[in-house]
Amino acid sequence: MASDRVTSGAGRIAKKIDLVPLVMMLLVISILAPVAVLVYGALTSNPIGAAFSGLTLENFVEVLTNPTYQRAFFNTVYVGVAATAMAALLGIPLAWIVVRSDVPFANLLRVGIMIPFFLSPFVGALAWTLLLQRNVGPVNLVLTSLGLGQISPYSARMIIFVMGIYYAPYIFIFVSSALRNMDPALEEAGHLSGLNRRQVITQITVPLIAPAALSGVLLTFMASAGQFGVPALLGMQDRFFVLTTYIYQLINRFPAEYNVAAALGIEMLVIACAGIWLQNRITRNRSYTTMTGKGFRPRIIELGPMRWLAFAFVIAFVVVGALLPLGMLLWVSLVPYYDATFSLSAVSPIHYLKIFNQAFVWRGLKNTLFLACAGASIAVILAVISNWIILRSNTSYRKPLGYLLFLPAAVPHIVLSLALLWTYVFVPLPIYGTIWILLIAYVTSYITQAVRNVGSNYVQIDKSLEEAATMVGAARLRTWIEVTLPLLKPGMVGAWTLLFIIFVRELSASILLYSPGNEVLPVLMFNMWGEGDWGGIGALAMIQVLMMGAVIALSGLLFRVDISRAS
């Protein structure tokens, strides 16, 4: 058979080419090299791209002693901790209500809770800026009619509010997954031993979901501390700066201060590493086994009349995090000029006609789709190969590779972008200033996410299935193609869909690396915000939402992937 000849030929090639050192070399270059160059940039006073001429600590002295940078550091920690606390206070109860209680329409509510994740904090901040515009924002109009004072969107409190709302789904994902996988017999044993419902929750349920909750909290803290779009939109006008917005300003001023920016990047990396250390410290030497060998379903707790209060809590979150922002962005995209009046006679496609008549918008759409499709595909391929090395091979590289693949999760995306900017000025490759450096940034920033999502599916595949193919003479590559990949398909499609969504809305990894002609949709919206083009922002936001919704729908229809259950 022709297919047999192809796969057997590929198998002979695979025997001659060892993927392990190739993948390791690629990952070391793409992950470790930028971090090393960033450290070098922080330890020198040379301009970017200049020849080496000695090391200095003056950039760190500047960062650690300058009151402006000290204030930005404390603002970053303050916003990160406060937003994470708010996200946890929302995400954990939401997960428990949807997974463990008898709240009505639980599946529909679960989808609604995930909508803010698809919108992104940046788009949410744009929407809330409109909702809270002085004298014309709908929320402020309602507050005024009730005799209450208006709220300004430009403050640290609003930064925390927006990030808390839009990062709550991150914690919801982790905690709801843990609750679904927890054996109800553990809680039933607590009831049989005389504990009441409150004691079972506090003494059994909460400790058992602690690792998942801590993982979600850690992810949220690092994402909040590394967030650029929300502090830029809601903070810079009020002169409230965090480390990411200062890094952006240092690079975009004249003359640019790349060395100080690199030192600030190292400071952000230290914050992220401190969060990882704290999580390991808390969870060390503790057992959190929650699953047994028998099948089970999560135990549903009847809330009685309180189920409607729980339902109202979830609905309030969906309204604040999804319906109000989406409705506001849709309306400003459909009226020539928003003036606080709501009349269907004012509806017009003028903003959509305007943006589709502009070449840079089409270019941005093309760039966004290319980067999202290519980036997600490359990341998933690398994730499959990396998981095989870690879970199936006997190479001594297994553990170092595992640690290496976790490193990007600890590096804020704007910091990694800064590191890549430095790196590809030094490297004699025609990448700097092209779309390819954005592709490298996307894949490098989210390779950890891809490895984790594919790996969660890989560990469920029994080794004996692959060993059986090998025993009948199938080569390694043929075993992959005919046995492993079909079994991995759900995890690969789920990971690809999730990464596509992330890449379509990614701003922090793009804002430092894009160049004229290589803009993506989030960058276009950020630039339109600077120009005050709210109608164009609303239209682009709706297009972005439609792109993500179409991919989610297709992955569900064709592959039965439920992205709202992503983990």
Side-chain angles (χ1 to χ4, degrees):
M1 299 275 280
S3 61
D4 290 337
R5 288 196 298 270
V6 171
T7 52
S8 62
R12 288 192 296 271
I13 295 173
K15 289 179 180 179
K16 297 179 181 179
I17 302 176
D18 191 350
L19 288 176
V20 175
L22 290 176
V23 172
M24 284 293 294
M25 182 175 65
L26 176 64
L27 292 172
V28 166
I29 291 173
S30 61
I31 297 174
L32 286 185
V35 175
V37 172
L38 183 71
V39 173
Y40 163 75
L43 290 173
T44 181
S45 58
N46 296 338
I48 186 169
F52 175 76
S53 63
L55 302 178
T56 178
L57 294 175
E58 64 181 24
N59 298 310
F60 288 104
V61 172
E62 171 71 11
V63 165
L64 296 174
T65 59
N66 189 314
T68 300
Y69 299 133
Q70 290 176 346
R71 188 160 54 250
F73 172 82
F74 287 113
N75 287 345
T76 301
V77 175
Y78 164 62
V79 166
V81 171
T84 301
M86 180 178 174
L89 291 173
L90 291 171
I92 294 173
L94 287 170
W96 188 87
I97 290 170
V98 170
V99 177
R100 300 301 304 276
S101 79
D102 62 342
V103 66
F105 311 109
N107 287 332
L108 187 60
L109 293 178
R110 173 171 51 81
V111 174
I113 291 168
M114 289 298 297
I115 292 176
F117 171 79
F118 304 137
L119 284 179
S120 87
F122 171 59
V123 174
L126 288 169
W128 275 97
T129 301
L130 289 166
L131 288 164
L132 294 174
Q133 276 187 314
R134 187 167 184 81
N135 297 325
V136 294
V139 172
N140 274 334
L141 290 177
V142 172
L143 293 175
T144 301
S145 68
L146 296 174
L148 302 173
Q150 297 192 23
I151 300 174
S152 170
Y154 306 109
S155 67
R157 287 178 297 178
M158 279 305 302
I159 294 173
I160 293 167
F161 171 79
V162 169
M163 289 203 293
I165 290 289
Y166 290 91
Y167 282 125
Y170 283 65
I171 295 179
F172 172 84
I173 290 171
F174 281 88
V175 175
S176 61
S177 178
L179 288 169
R180 281 195 301 269
N181 293 326
M182 189 173 67
D183 190 343
L186 300 169
E187 294 175 313
E188 291 169 4
H191 286 294
L192 291 173
S193 65
L195 299 179
N196 59 36
R197 180 183 296 177
R198 180 185 60 81
Q199 291 173 322
V200 168
I201 291 174
T202 57
Q203 297 181 29
I204 297 177
T205 307
V206 171
L208 288 175
I209 65 171
L214 283 172
S215 296
V217 165
L218 172 63
L219 173 65
T220 302
F221 174 75
M222 291 192 296
S224 300
Q227 172 62 227
F228 168 76
V230 178
L233 263 64
L234 305 181
M236 289 200 297
Q237 182 167 322
D238 197 45
R239 305 298 300 170
F240 182 87
F241 289 92
V242 293
L243 291 176
T244 55
T245 51
Y246 254 122
I247 289 173
Y248 175 77
Q249 283 209 333
L250 288 169
I251 290 176
N252 284 277
R253 68 175 50 168
F254 184 81
E257 298 184 37
Y258 288 103
N259 305 94
V260 177
L264 286 177
I266 298 299
E267 192 172 28
M268 290 194 69
L269 185 58
V270 170
I271 294 174
C273 291
I276 295 172
W277 174 85
L278 181 62
Q279 183 201 30
N280 292 335
R281 180 83 175 181
I282 293 173
T283 59
R284 186 176 57 187
N285 298 327
R286 297 181 66 180
S287 175
Y288 297 98
T289 302
T290 64
M291 298 181 65
T292 61
K294 59 182 180 180
F296 55 81
R297 291 183 178 180
R299 180 173 177 266
I300 301 300
I301 298 174
E302 296 182 1
L303 298 180
M306 294 294 290
R307 67 198 291 255
W308 295 108
L309 183 61
F311 178 78
F313 172 69
V314 180
I315 289 296
F317 175 82
V318 175
V319 168
V320 172
L323 298 185
L324 275 178
L326 274 176
M328 191 69 215
L329 289 169
L330 177 61
W331 182 253
V332 298
S333 75
L334 291 175
V335 293
Y337 178 76
Y338 174 69
D339 58 0
T341 60
F342 295 88
S343 173
L344 292 178
S345 62
V347 172
S348 166
I350 184 172
H351 294 300
Y352 292 93
L353 295 174
K354 176 185 173 183
I355 64 172
F356 281 125
N357 281 326
Q358 295 175 326
F360 70 87
V361 172
W362 285 106
R363 191 166 57 239
L365 282 168
K366 181 186 70 174
N367 291 338
T368 301
L369 284 172
F370 168 74
L371 289 169
C373 293
S377 301
I378 293 170
V380 168
I381 291 171
L382 288 175
V384 171
I385 298 173
S386 299
N387 274 295
W388 179 84
I389 295 172
I390 295 170
L391 299 173
R392 294 292 191 262
S393 73
N394 296 318
T395 178
S396 58
Y397 299 135
R398 292 169 61 191
K399 285 188 176 180
L401 179 60
Y403 291 127
L404 179 65
L405 289 169
F406 184 76
L407 181 61
V411 183
H413 299 149
I414 198 167
V415 174
L416 187 58
S417 295
L418 175 61
L420 288 168
L421 188 152
W422 272 81
T423 301
Y424 287 99
V425 168
F426 282 106
V427 175
L429 291 174
I431 292 177
Y432 178 73
T434 70
I435 198 170
W436 303 109
I437 194 170
L438 286 170
L439 181 63
I440 292 171
Y442 284 14
V443 174
T444 306
S445 296
Y446 290 98
I447 186 65
T448 306
Q449 186 89 19
V451 170
R452 188 178 68 219
N453 278 270
V454 174
S456 64
N457 193 246
Y458 212 137
V459 295
Q460 298 174 357
I461 300 175
D462 197 322
K463 290 182 180 180
S464 62
L465 298 172
E466 296 169 316
E467 291 170 353
T470 304
M471 290 176 64
V472 296
R476 179 189 300 173
L477 186 58
R478 186 172 182 179
T479 301
W480 264 28
I481 294 173
E482 297 185 5
V483 179
T484 307
L485 291 183
L487 294 172
L488 277 179
K489 185 172 70 174
M492 293 171 64
V493 174
W496 191 95
T497 305
L498 184 63
L499 290 173
F500 179 92
I501 293 168
I502 291 172
F503 293 162
V504 165
R505 61 181 181 79
E506 179 58 42
L507 176 65
S508 297
S510 311
I511 195 66
L512 297 184
L513 297 175
Y514 86 93
S515 56
N518 296 317
E519 301 93 340
V520 291
L521 286 185
V523 170
L524 292 180
M525 285 191 281
F526 183 80
N527 292 338
M528 284 181 175
W529 165 75
E531 299 168 359
D533 185 3
W534 290 107
I537 289 172
L540 283 182
M542 289 300 101
I543 292 169
Q544 187 184 58
V545 169
L546 287 175
M547 287 170 58
M548 292 187 290
V551 170
I552 293 169
L554 285 174
S555 64
L557 289 173
L558 299 178
F559 302 99
R560 297 185 179 182
V561 172
D562 185 355
I563 196 67
S564 67
R565 292 182 183 270
S567 60

